[in-house]
């Protein structure tokens, strides 16, 4: 299916961009990570990277041409694919936008006549970035700079907390930090004033009092741009952006940075093969760590010390016996979103529950044998994930999503694994789980769960699940029910393995059992369908060798 690529919004004030150079032409094969074009803004020229593979079927903006943000830049799809409908739909959208622009132009003179405030020379307004497709507001977790500090391009200004992760917010401008608009622990909507940079001593009281007025009268002002580490887009549009750096910073594409972070690679040890020594995806994937291990270990150790010190600092106040004491804990962005989504799921999806007990004797024996293999470590949770993935392939209706006009049957299996973190719950997603071995599942779950607990997991790694598993067995919980993680149609709740008397071949013997409960959305999964899924799941779990066939 063709993917529409639009003109990226490379800063929060960018309204249009110019294609400086196309590095690919129509008919070329595109691989993920290839540089498609160089996009020129009012401040810099940036490489534009593809996150999709296919054939370049159409170029919507030629070299030297300028177009508004979200205009059709290119179309990537299968070779020979008919994209006439895509282009027609885009042209219709352009017509609507053009008519809206005419109306805006008619209003513009009245704004000027009102004498709105203008932005002082050299002053830059930094707004709250939109770091994920579901983000409507952000919370400043930590300010790393204070008013009066000198800011260099590339300095980290603050850590911004979204509903999914905490991300560093980087300055692409130099100057003095003149104003902080959102204090630590406070939340603000996307695009609200986060900070103001400019020459030392500049009076920005007018900007603080009326930021919208300066926005409308100074559309070409420079802004601090957040580095687009995790750009998420709509189903029909794929947006890829690449940052070029200066003043001693490392030249690397966002994809390369993401892979390096996941693998624990220090980018300063990687030699770039791209233009001007820029580090690209293949450089990181082909990098062989050597002395870099020591630097990575040092960083990890310092992070551990910071985490330990913060834990020690969280001392509970002394409360005398017999006195009433209450503590108000402000809801984090994550907690707010959890509350909202779970309430929506519980009250919109008609839940019902199916519980089944499994004989785990064979699973225990199989796990012991597997873990005798050197450098191999498989948990019962890994076996549950593998069995679920294989059962979903046989029962795609459980691997579905509800829409008002249709039911979506997913024939790919992406299993979300619920992970408890300090602020609530996150669900990292194992993409194409059915194609993974038990050891691959174990390694991926361990990696993502570890990064999720220290808020280093990326939002893109928590999207696209088709089924969810929640395991409280390690806490001794024998049986429980979960709320469906929408848009999934089902979630599997896994309890602890319990040793108890069981009947086998007419005899009472000591056995090991585990209880699992499947919560289903009755709009998509009928009772018989859910029961058949559990029967298949039970067969795999009670005879793990069948998962290797």
């Amino acid at each position: 299916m063709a993917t529409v690529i639009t003109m990226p919004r490379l800063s929060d004030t960018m309204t249009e961009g110019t294609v400086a150079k196309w590095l690919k032409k129509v008919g070329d094969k595109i691989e993920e990570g290839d540089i498609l074009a160089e996009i020129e803004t009012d401040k810099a020229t940036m490489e534009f990277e593809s996150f999709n593979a296919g054939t370049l079927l159409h170029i919507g903006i030629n070299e030297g041409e300028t177009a508004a943000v979200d205009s059709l830049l290119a179309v990537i799809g299968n070779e020979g694919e008919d994209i006439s409908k895509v282009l027609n739909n885009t042209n219709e959208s352009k017509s609507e936008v053009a008519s809206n622009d005419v109306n805006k132009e008619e209003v513009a003179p009245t704004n000027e006549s009102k004498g709105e405030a203008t932005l002082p020379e050299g002053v830059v307004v930094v707004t709250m970035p939109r770091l994920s497709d579901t983000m409507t507001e952000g919370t400043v977790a930590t300010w790393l700079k204070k008013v009066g500090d000198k800011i260099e391009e590339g300095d980290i200004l603050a850590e911004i907390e979204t509903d999914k992760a905490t991300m560093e917010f980087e300055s692409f401008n130099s100057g003095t930090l003149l104003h902080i608009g959102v204090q630590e622990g406070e939340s603000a909507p996307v695009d609200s004033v986060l900070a103001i940079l400019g020459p030392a001593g500049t009076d920005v009281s007018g900007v603080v009092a009326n930021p919208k007025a300066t926005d409308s009268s100074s559309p070409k002002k420079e802004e601090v741009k957040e580095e687009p580490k995790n750009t998420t887009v709509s189903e029909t549009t794929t947006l890829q952006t690449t940052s070029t750096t200066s003043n001693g910073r490392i030249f690397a594409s966002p994809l390369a940075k993401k892979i390096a972070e996941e693998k624990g690679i220090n980018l300063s040890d990687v030699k770039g093969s791209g233009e001007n020594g820029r580090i690209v995806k293949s450089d990181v994937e082909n990098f062989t760590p050597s002395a870099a291990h020591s630097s990575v270990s040092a960083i990890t150790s310092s992070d551990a010390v910071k985490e330990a010190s913060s834990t020690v600092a969280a001392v509970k106040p002394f409360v005398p016996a017999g006195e009433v004491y209450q503590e108000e804990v402000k809801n984090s962005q994550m907690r707010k979103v959890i509350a909202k989504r779970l309430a929506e799921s519980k009250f919109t999806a008609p839940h019902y529950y199916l519980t089944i007990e499994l004989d785990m004797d064979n699973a225990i024996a199989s796990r012991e044998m597997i873990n005798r293999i050197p450098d191999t470590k498989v948990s019962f949770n890994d076996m549950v994930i593998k069995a679920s993935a294989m059962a979903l392939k046989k029962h795609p209706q459980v691997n579905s999503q509800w829409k008002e006009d249709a039911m979506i049957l997913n024939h790919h299996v992406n299993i979300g694994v619920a992970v408890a973190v300090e602020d609530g719950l996150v669900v990292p997603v194992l993409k194409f789980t059915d194609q993974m071995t038990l050891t691959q599942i174990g390694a991926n779950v361990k990696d993502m769960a570890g990064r999720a607990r220290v808020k280093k997991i990326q939002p893109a790694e928590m999207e696209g699940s088709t089924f969810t598993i929640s395991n409280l067995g390690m806490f001794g919980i024998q049986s429980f029910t979960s709320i469906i993680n929408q848009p999934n149609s089902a979630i599997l709740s896994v309890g602890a393995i319990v040793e108890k008397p069981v009947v086998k071949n007419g005899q009472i013997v000591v056995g090991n059992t585990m209880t699992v409960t499947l919560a289903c959305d009755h709009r998509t999964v009928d009772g018989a369908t859910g029961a058949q899924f559990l029967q298949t799941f039970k067969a795999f779990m009670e005879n793990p060798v069948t998962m290797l066939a």
Side-chain angles (χ1 to χ4, degrees):
M1 182 178 177
T3 299
V4 175
I5 301 175
T6 60
M7 175 65 74
R9 186 173 182 255
L10 300 177
S11 77
D12 48 4
T13 55
M14 177 178 170
T15 57
E16 62 181 17
T18 301
V19 176
K21 183 179 180 181
W22 276 102
L23 303 178
K24 299 291 182 180
K25 62 181 184 296
V26 172
D28 282 358
K29 295 291 185 182
I30 308 298
E31 297 295 332
E32 181 181 336
D34 284 356
I35 305 301
L36 294 178
E38 295 177 354
I39 306 295
E40 180 183 348
T41 70
D42 58 337
K43 181 183 177 184
T45 299
M46 301 183 183
E47 293 178 339
F48 187 74
E49 181 176 312
S50 175
F51 278 24
N52 292 81
T55 300
L56 184 56
L57 302 176
H58 176 75
I59 289 178
I61 305 170
N62 294 318
E63 287 186 6
E65 291 184 354
T66 301
V69 169
D70 293 335
S71 299
L72 186 143
L73 180 66
V75 178
I76 293 177
N78 299 322
E79 187 174 359
E81 183 177 351
D82 181 12
I83 59 171
S84 56
K85 290 184 178 179
V86 175
L87 298 179
N88 289 338
N89 291 339
T90 304
N91 290 333
E92 290 175 4
S93 299
K94 283 182 179 179
S95 299
E96 293 177 4
V97 171
S99 63
N100 291 335
D101 288 344
V102 170
N103 294 333
K104 291 178 183 176
E105 290 174 2
E106 292 173 354
V107 176
T110 61
N111 291 336
E112 293 176 1
S113 63
K114 290 180 181 178
E116 290 178 341
T118 58
L119 199 65
E121 184 177 354
V123 170
V124 177
V125 177
V126 185
T127 60
M128 178 65 74
R130 186 173 184 264
L131 300 175
S132 76
D133 56 346
T134 57
M135 179 178 172
T136 57
E137 64 178 15
T139 300
V140 176
T142 307
W143 274 104
L144 303 178
K145 301 290 182 180
K146 62 182 182 296
V147 172
D149 282 358
K150 294 291 186 182
I151 308 298
E152 296 296 332
E153 180 181 338
D155 286 354
I156 304 300
L157 294 178
E159 294 179 350
I160 306 295
E161 180 187 345
T162 73
D163 55 316
K164 298 177 179 177
T166 300
M167 302 181 189
E168 293 179 338
F169 186 75
E170 180 178 315
S171 174
F172 274 32
N173 292 83
S174 300
T176 299
L177 183 56
L178 302 174
H179 172 74
I180 288 178
V182 184
Q183 302 299 322
E184 286 189 5
E186 291 183 355
S187 300
V190 169
D191 291 335
S192 56
V193 176
L194 182 65
I196 299 176
L197 299 180
T202 304
D203 181 11
V204 293
S205 56
V207 181
V208 174
N210 195 7
K212 290 186 178 180
T214 58
D215 270 351
S216 60
S217 60
S218 312
K220 293 186 179 180
K221 71 179 184 291
E222 292 183 353
E223 293 264 350
V224 171
K225 299 178 292 186
E226 70 275 15
E227 181 172 301
K229 295 179 182 177
N230 298 288
T231 306
T232 48
V233 293
S234 65
E235 294 179 0
T236 58
T237 304
T238 300
L239 175 63
Q240 305 88 19
T241 58
T242 316
S243 297
T244 56
T245 59
S246 60
N247 297 338
R249 293 172 58 214
I250 297 173
F251 286 79
S253 72
L255 187 57
K257 290 181 180 180
K258 177 176 180 291
I259 297 173
E261 185 177 357
E262 291 174 352
K263 294 187 174 183
I265 295 174
N266 188 342
L267 282 174
S268 62
D269 296 322
V270 181
K271 184 177 180 180
S273 62
E275 186 177 354
N276 298 321
R278 179 174 175 275
I279 299 170
V280 295
K281 173 187 174 186
S282 58
D283 298 327
V284 179
E285 291 180 334
N286 298 329
F287 175 70
T288 303
S290 53
H293 285 303
S294 59
S295 62
V296 172
S297 299
I299 293 170
T300 306
S301 300
S302 64
D303 288 343
V305 171
K306 290 178 183 177
E307 185 176 350
S309 62
S310 64
T311 303
V312 172
V315 179
K316 293 183 179 179
F318 172 73
V319 181
E323 288 191 12
V324 175
Y325 175 78
Q326 293 179 321
E327 182 180 4
E328 183 175 297
V329 179
K330 187 175 181 180
N331 291 329
S332 66
Q333 287 297 107
M334 181 181 293
R335 179 58 61 188
K336 291 177 183 177
V337 172
I338 288 173
K340 179 181 178 182
R341 291 184 179 172
L342 291 184
E344 288 175 352
S345 176
K346 188 66 176 178
F347 297 127
T348 60
H351 286 55
Y352 72 91
Y353 305 94
L354 301 172
T355 300
I356 195 168
E357 190 174 61
L358 310 178
D359 181 348
M360 294 295 288
D361 287 341
N362 287 339
I364 292 172
S366 297
R367 177 174 176 267
E368 289 177 355
M369 292 182 65
I370 293 172
N371 287 344
R372 289 175 190 167
I373 302 172
D375 301 321
T376 302
K377 181 70 173 178
V378 171
S379 69
F380 291 112
N381 194 56
D382 301 334
M383 300 174 78
V384 168
I385 294 171
K386 180 65 175 178
S388 298
M390 296 183 68
L392 289 169
K393 291 295 288 184
K394 293 180 177 291
H395 304 280
Q397 195 159 345
V398 180
N399 196 44
S400 62
Q401 297 172 359
W402 169 262
K403 289 190 174 182
E404 290 300 325
D405 56 346
M407 180 168 60
I408 308 299
L409 298 180
N410 296 301
H411 294 286
H412 62 284
V413 177
N414 291 348
I415 292 185
V417 182
V419 175
V421 296
E422 183 180 356
D423 293 331
L425 188 74
V426 295
V427 186
V429 179
L430 296 175
K431 304 292 176 64
F432 307 107
T433 320
D434 56 305
Q435 300 174 22
M436 293 182 177
T437 64
L438 285 169
T439 52
Q440 288 173 330
I441 290 172
N444 277 277
V445 169
K446 183 178 179 182
D447 170 59
M448 289 198 291
R451 288 188 288 115
R453 292 189 180 100
V454 295
K455 296 185 177 181
K456 296 297 183 183
I457 194 166
Q458 304 300 320
E461 297 175 288
M462 295 182 283
E463 298 172 351
S465 67
T466 61
F467 184 82
T468 309
I469 293 174
S470 179
N471 190 339
L472 292 179
M474 65 282 291
F475 298 105
I477 303 300
Q478 296 183 21
S479 178
F480 67 103
T481 59
S482 301
I483 298 175
I484 296 169
N485 178 32
Q486 289 190 336
N488 299 171
S489 288
I491 182 171
L492 187 69
S493 306
V494 182
I497 297 176
V498 179
E499 187 178 44
K500 68 177 187 179
V502 297
V503 178
K504 289 187 177 180
N505 300 321
Q507 301 292 322
I508 298 177
V509 297
V510 176
N512 294 277
T513 65
M514 182 174 76
T515 300
V516 298
T517 299
L518 183 70
C520 302
D521 184 342
H522 216 320
R523 296 174 300 179
T524 51
V525 183
D526 295 328
T529 304
Q532 290 165 3
F533 167 83
L534 284 179
Q535 287 177 345
T536 303
F537 172 80
K538 176 182 173 73
F540 283 131
M541 285 298 297
E542 292 186 343
N543 298 281
V545 68
T546 58
M547 290 192 280
L548 308 176

